[in-house]
Amino acid sequence: MGNDKYAGKKCFVIMPFGKKDILDSKGIVVETVDFDRVYHEIIKNTVEELGVECERCDEIPEAGSIHKKMFRGIFEADIAVVDITSLNPNVFYELGVRHALRKYVTVVIGKMSDQPLPFNIRGLDITMYSMNSADSIETTRKRIRDLIQNGLDKENIDSIVHDALDDEVKIERKSKTIRSQ
């Protein structure tokens, strides 16, 4: 059920893997989130319905450094979906890398909670989700779909780095020489 309009586009997903405890400000577990379920039911299905290839770092079937796969995935992806629910420092680091490398189509999501967001991301458009009902999951999927389509079609800057420094920042890809053997 893909969409040819976005054929060849790639999405890289930045999020924790598996089940993770969510802590309050005092370090007490307030809930456990199954991030694999969020990935498959909300993110991956939504992205692939648009005809976009979707992958997470743990799905890249290559040996070697996970960091190399992560940086390459963040840089090469036309779209990034970032789940900040657990306030995981690695997720924020990768979000910062994405904002430095790409101007647009970074979709930030998070599970509804009472946790205050860190100051530096409070100004971002964050799609809050709930896994409590089929309706809430579908609402989130529609919102993500709309954000991706608008981002790809309009190319509006959603990177806070490029928004602030766009006249001074330029990221370029090196050309690769292909040699036949």
Side-chain angles (χ1 to χ4, degrees):
M1 186 176 168
N3 183 337
D4 289 341
K5 182 176 182 179
Y6 304 116
K9 300 288 186 189
K10 292 183 177 180
C11 175
F12 189 76
V13 179
I14 299 168
M15 68 187 308
F17 314 142
K19 292 181 180 180
K20 299 287 188 265
D21 290 335
I22 307 301
L23 309 175
D24 67 11
S25 60
K26 296 176 183 167
I28 298 169
V29 176
V30 291
E31 71 177 306
T32 300
V33 175
D34 184 346
F35 287 101
D36 292 342
R37 179 175 174 228
V38 173
Y39 175 65
H40 290 286
E41 290 186 27
I42 292 181
I43 302 168
K44 189 170 179 116
N45 288 344
T46 303
V47 169
E48 289 180 345
E49 284 175 3
L50 290 170
V52 174
E53 179 186 334
C54 184
E55 70 182 356
R56 212 167 50 171
C57 204
D58 64 324
E59 295 179 328
I60 300 171
E62 296 175 5
S65 167
I66 192 168
H67 297 98
K68 184 176 179 180
K69 291 185 273 187
M70 175 198 55
F71 288 126
R72 179 161 275 127
I74 291 168
F75 177 68
E76 291 178 350
D78 303 284
I79 304 152
V81 176
V82 183
D83 189 331
I84 60 158
T85 299
S86 65
L87 303 180
N88 181 305
N90 295 325
V91 170
F92 285 115
Y93 176 76
E94 294 169 35
L95 172 60
V97 169
R98 173 68 182 192
H99 276 167
L101 295 176
R102 293 296 211 136
K103 290 182 180 185
Y104 48 82
V105 201
T106 300
V107 177
V108 181
I109 67 173
K111 190 167 187 305
M112 289 181 200
S113 82
D114 295 332
Q115 286 182 301
L117 294 171
F119 173 78
N120 286 340
I121 65 162
R122 285 185 193 154
L124 295 178
D125 183 7
I126 301 170
T127 297
M128 302 308 284
Y129 67 84
S130 168
M131 301 294 287
N132 293 339
S133 72
D135 285 345
S136 60
I137 291 171
E138 187 50 41
T139 298
T140 303
R141 287 171 40 85
K142 182 183 180 327
R143 174 84 172 135
I144 292 170
R145 197 169 28 252
D146 290 347
L147 289 169
I148 290 171
Q149 289 173 314
N150 287 334
L152 290 173
D153 294 345
K154 296 178 183 178
E155 298 183 352
N156 292 329
I157 294 174
D158 59 32
S159 159
I160 55 179
V161 173
H162 285 275
D163 189 43
L165 304 174
D166 202 40
D167 294 335
E168 299 161 34
V169 174
K170 185 173 182 176
I171 304 294
E172 294 182 21
R173 294 183 79 134
K174 290 193 268 179
S175 57
K176 289 185 178 180
T177 304
I178 300 173
R179 298 184 182 132
S180 59
Q181 294 180 340

